[in-house]
Amino acid sequence: GQQVQQSPSSLVLQEGENAELQCNFSSTATQLQWFYQSPGGSLVSLLSNPSGTKHTGRLTSTTVTKERRSSLHISSSQTTDSGTYLCAIGTGGADRLTFGKGTQLIIQP
Amino acid sequence: EAAVTQSPRNKVAVTGGKVTLSCNQTNNHNNMYWYRQDTGHGLRLIHYSYGAGSTEKGDIPDGYKASRPSQENFSLILELATPSQTSVYFCASGDRAAYEQYFGPGTRLTVL
């Protein structure tokens, strides 16, 4: 089956530093979605980026489909960015997503 | 803003009992999903649906049934709950055109 590997598994930064999160997957993805899971557990969609580069606020995602990898860059990190970031891919008709295990991001003041 | 709600938010059940988790969405999305999240496993797909009356097995369907009586509602049913089904359950709705999914707040289920 499809596999989604995220790295690093955890990352500790000081407020103001930039964060770079990686997602590698085993199958060609027709869909790729990044999620944020708060420490309280709620899941929020950050952006959908199956190919190319996409920006929203302080977030930039770059997906290189042929190389089966995607990155999420968070600029000028804030303590409120702390949480777990999940990468999920869909293949074929993309009605189903396969999730990675996430990167836990801790931003210290 | 898209909205997916789940009830109950917390549930304690006894082994062998029946548990029904409910999900409602106001996004008018055709697709709906049930996942469970466990430490070390991440999010895993249990059942999903393409629309009212349809249910499909996901990656870990054993021990679970699903019901989609309407566009808005999708239920997950544990006929005979076991302690191994203790987990956090998330419902999501999906936009087929954009291939994006939107999640509910989760239900914490403890089976004693």
Side-chain angles (χ1 to χ4, degrees), chain B residues 29-40:
Chain B
H29 288 160
N30 287 327
N31 292 2
M32 295 186 75
Y33 306 83
W34 276 106
Y35 296 87
R36 63 179 285 177
Q37 186 175 36
D38 304 284
T39 304

Side-chain angles (χ1 to χ4, degrees), chain A residues 31-44:
Chain A
Q31 165 59 334
L32 188 140
Q33 198 169 351
W34 284 96
F35 293 86
Y36 167 75
Q37 187 164 33
S38 70
S42 62
L43 272 159
V44 175

Side-chain angles (χ1 to χ4, degrees), chain B residues 30-86:
Chain B
N30 287 327
N31 292 2
M32 295 186 75
Y33 306 83
W34 276 106
Y35 296 87
R36 63 179 285 177
Q37 186 175 36
D38 304 284
T39 304
H41 288 283
L43 277 158
R44 293 181 290 173
L45 182 64
I46 306 170
H47 284 289
Y48 61 107
S49 168
Y50 291 118
S54 113
T55 60
E56 305 290 333
K57 292 181 179 179
D59 298 319
I60 53 164
D62 293 345
Y64 302 94
K65 292 171 61 176
S67 173
R68 182 87 181 270
S70 65
Q71 177 85 338
E72 297 79 19
N73 295 294
F74 191 37
S75 297
L76 185 68
I77 303 152
L78 291 66
E79 294 278 5
L80 294 169
T82 69
S84 64
Q85 294 175 313
T86 293

